[in-house]
Amino acid sequence: MHTVIGLEIHVQLRTRTKLFCSCNADYFAAPPNTLTCPVCLGMPGALPVLNERAVELALRVALALGAKVQETSRFDRKNYFYPDLPKGYQITQREFPLALGGELSFRMDGERRSVRIHEMHLEEDAGKLIHTDEGALVDMNRCGVPLVEIVTEPDIRSPKEAREFLRALRTLLRHLGVSNADMEKGELRCDANISVSADGELGTKTEIKNLNSFRAVERALAAEEKRQRELLGRGGPVEQVTFGWDEHTGTLVLQRSKEEAHDYRYFPEPDLVPLVVTPDWLARVREEMPELPWEREERFMREYGLSRKDATILIEEPARADYFEEVARACGSPREAASWVLSEILRYWRDEEPPIGAEALGRLITAVKSGKISRTNAKEALEEAISSGQDPLEIVEERGLSLLSDEGELRRLAEEVVAENPKAVEDFRAGKKGAIGFLVGQAMRKSGGRADAKKLSQILLELLGSS
Ligand code: ADP
Ligand code: ZN
Ligand code: MG
């Protein structure tokens, strides 16, 4: 049986003000109902004025996806009643959306996938209900916050692919600087449509609303895929219904059947003129486009000689890619920088800020390269620097972690080890060349990991009379 999935994705655009008024759009930590005005509260007679910046951010997304920007688009009213919607309608674009077509390519299990975009349009967000023991409270701060809705074609073939598509989209949105696209904060939300069929024709789809984590997208779709497969297996028809998803119990919650489907009575928004994107305006937006993630990935491979795999991980987050480039500049060795960032830094990177400054890491890598400190001890100093905030080279200094490369001291160490391990020495002389490793290890331990391993084994070989 074939699974077919299409997504409708809402992305909050990072503007200073809301889509149709000058209220602050940064509602996340604001006290309830402090960021409102007559326009976003839908007071009679208040008139919306379109936010130019929101249009530009949406255009960036359209250009990045290769969509066809419509020179003239229009706003419509979508009418419905809900306590978080004070106007009784949402301003959206239904008949004439901002852009048509486009696609997003990404890699999954080493394979190239591509999902076509049907259309994308601008719309305003609604408020929020806060459920308490005494009843539901309403917070209007989010009313009128700008969203771009991206609707895909039904090109996705599995729940996992839906998740990977969304990840790739988040990476793109972050590189474009149009949104933080944090699903946990509701900056990226997804409604998922899914159908299953035996014959390759499009089957009847169901919809799962308001998925707000990557995990939820994959799990909810997997649950619904399973349900539809079983239903079809028993010969029963799939009905066109809408579900919610309960992440705690991992279950689909029926929200409405086809008969209960809303009639939104869309009509053109009479208070806004059509949106005209002139070729000049579009050209300006194009000029300001930042480097796209897939362009950056190719550049990392070309310019720094990184593998595809490493480059892909580094560009996943723009902050990560920026950090890598700063470290590379600071130490002059991009491949070393990539290796340290991927193997050491990512384990500790939790917040937006990297766990240690790029300059400090760059200096540490330089010290390893120039033989001032062993890799093992550098990692130890780095770990301590990350937990204490101290400079790693200061830690190396204070704790005497720098590389022991003084000939005399190394020789003394080697002589001690030779005297203390007659068995290994005998083995070596009898032809078991591997015994040298044991002796180096013993000397290493004595030095607290600081001995210059290369010089040390040279001296040992010399003492044992084999060089
Ligand atoms: P509706 O009119 O019900 O809103 P649309 O045609 O606008 O449906 O499509 C909404 C979303 O559902 C799109 O993302 C689209 O790709 C997806 N979709 C459409 N048909 C199917 C199907 N048969 N199976 C899965 N997804 C579908
Ligand atoms: Zn307002
Ligand atoms: Mg639709």
Side-chain angles (χ1 to χ4, degrees):
M1 288 205 237
H2 307 272
T3 298
V4 172
I5 296 166
L7 303 177
E8 295 162 287
I9 301 134
H10 290 93
V11 181
Q12 226 166 60
L13 296 170
R14 195 195 298 166
T15 52
R16 197 172 48 78
T17 58
K18 293 184 179 180
L19 187 54
F20 298 117
C21 62
S22 54
C23 287
N24 187 345
D26 188 11
Y27 67 88
F28 192 72
N33 299 306
T34 54
L35 309 177
T36 62
C37 75
V39 173
C40 55
L41 287 178
M43 299 293 185
L47 290 173
V49 177
L50 181 60
N51 181 336
E52 187 175 335
R53 183 70 184 156
V55 178
E56 290 179 354
L57 295 183
L59 288 175
R60 269 193 204 179
V61 182
L63 290 175
L65 294 173
K68 213 180 279 149
V69 173
Q70 304 298 290
E71 186 156 350
T72 303
S73 64
R74 201 188 67 194
F75 289 92
D76 298 294
R77 287 189 183 179
K78 176 180 180 177
N79 299 279
Y80 65 93
F81 288 100
Y82 203 69
D84 66 7
L85 190 75
K87 289 203 294 284
Y89 60 84
Q90 176 196 31
I91 304 180
T92 179
Q93 300 187 297
R94 162 93 167 179
E95 290 289 318
F96 300 97
L98 182 67
L100 300 175
E103 69 180 329
L104 179 62
S105 294
F106 55 102
R107 217 168 268 112
M108 188 170 101
D109 303 330
E111 216 181 286
R112 192 135 205 95
R113 306 290 179 110
S114 188
V115 172
R116 289 170 304 152
I117 307 300
H118 181 67
E119 57 112 330
M120 49 176 283
H121 62 259
L122 279 162
E123 61 184 32
E124 58 179 341
D125 210 342
K128 260 182 169 173
L129 286 188
I130 303 157
H131 297 278
T132 73
D133 290 342
E134 284 112 286
L137 303 174
V138 64
D139 174 9
M140 302 296 190
N141 283 347
R142 203 176 65 180
C143 289
V145 165
L147 302 175
V148 62
E149 178 171 344
I150 301 167
V151 183
T152 78
E153 295 288 355
D155 284 354
I156 300 167
R157 292 289 169 269
S158 70
K160 181 180 168 196
E161 193 180 345
R163 186 195 68 195
E164 291 308 306
F165 168 82
L166 275 178
R167 272 193 188 287
L169 182 64
R170 182 178 72 174
T171 293
L172 174 65
L173 295 165
R174 288 183 174 174
H175 276 266
L176 290 173
V178 304
S179 177
N180 235 357
D182 193 335
M183 289 195 88
E184 271 67 41
K185 285 187 179 166
E187 294 161 337
L188 179 67
R189 282 168 261 160
C190 175
D191 300 339
N193 301 269
I194 176 169
S195 65
V196 170
S197 79
D199 54 8
E201 301 278 301
L202 274 187
T204 306
K205 72 175 159 71
T206 60
E207 185 176 15
I208 313 166
K209 283 229 165 267
N210 263 318
L211 295 164
N212 50 24
S213 73
F214 292 109
R215 184 179 139 88
V217 169
E218 189 174 4
R219 286 176 81 206
L221 281 169
E224 176 56 6
E225 180 183 47
K226 181 161 177 280
R227 191 189 70 89
Q228 287 190 23
R229 277 171 187 242
E230 284 171 5
L231 212 57
L232 291 172
R234 287 199 302 269
V238 172
E239 279 180 65
Q240 196 178 326
V241 294
T242 303
F243 291 106
W245 172 251
D246 185 332
E247 179 66 19
H248 294 293
T249 57
T251 48
L252 296 157
V253 185
L254 186 68
Q255 279 184 350
R256 59 177 180 258
S257 65
K258 193 177 181 181
E259 292 74 52
E260 295 161 317
H262 283 142
D263 173 9
Y264 292 114
R265 297 175 296 116
Y266 284 94
F267 65 86
E269 164 60 62
D271 291 339
L272 286 165
V273 293
L275 167 56
V276 177
V277 180
T278 62
D280 276 1
W281 190 12
L282 194 59
R284 261 200 324 276
V285 173
R286 187 172 269 130
E287 270 164 35
E288 286 165 15
M289 288 281 276
E291 189 178 26
L292 299 174
W294 46 87
E295 293 169 351
R296 203 168 194 188
E297 182 177 308
E298 295 298 327
R299 181 169 65 77
F300 279 11
M301 292 167 62
R302 199 175 59 237
E303 204 169 288
Y304 302 132
L306 303 186
S307 67
R308 160 91 54 206
K309 186 161 159 273
D310 287 355
T312 305
I313 301 172
L314 287 172
I315 60 104
E316 231 165 60
E317 299 282 348
R320 186 186 296 171
D322 291 345
Y323 180 76
F324 153 70
E325 290 205 273
E326 281 168 47
V327 176
R329 231 173 284 129
C331 74
S333 173
R335 280 162 105 155
E336 281 293 311
S339 146
W340 280 81
V341 170
L342 292 171
S343 63
E344 301 302 317
I345 299 300
L346 288 192
R347 282 192 282 149
Y348 300 103
W349 198 328
R350 293 289 166 274
D351 329 309
E352 320 221 320
E353 291 297 309
I356 182 169
E359 288 293 327
L361 177 59
R363 283 195 301 273
L364 184 68
I365 297 174
T366 304
V368 174
K369 270 202 320 188
S370 64
K372 287 207 190 69
I373 176 170
S374 74
R375 193 169 289 266
T376 314
N377 281 349
K379 286 182 181 171
E380 197 180 316
L382 176 65
E383 205 165 303
E384 200 171 315
I386 285 171
S387 66
S388 71
Q390 206 184 349
D391 186 87
L393 285 180
E394 253 176 62
I395 294 170
V396 167
E397 209 52 45
E398 276 174 24
R399 302 221 349 236
L401 292 173
S402 61
L403 205 61
L404 180 60
S405 50
D406 179 79
E407 281 276 339
E409 275 188 65
L410 287 173
R411 189 167 294 275
R412 243 192 322 282
L413 215 60
E415 284 167 356
E416 265 179 55
V417 168
V418 167
E420 286 165 11
N421 297 279
K423 174 86 175 68
V425 171
E426 204 175 296
D427 285 351
F428 180 80
R429 294 203 163 122
K432 284 196 196 162
K433 298 299 172 197
I436 193 76
F438 173 78
L439 293 169
V440 171
Q442 290 301 305
M444 210 45 155
R445 190 156 317 149
K446 273 178 178 286
S447 75
R450 293 171 52 224
D452 181 329
K454 220 154 115 198
K455 280 192 186 168
L456 185 64
S457 51
Q458 258 167 25
I459 294 173
L460 272 166
L461 286 169
E462 223 177 280
L463 287 179
L464 298 176
S466 99
S467 74

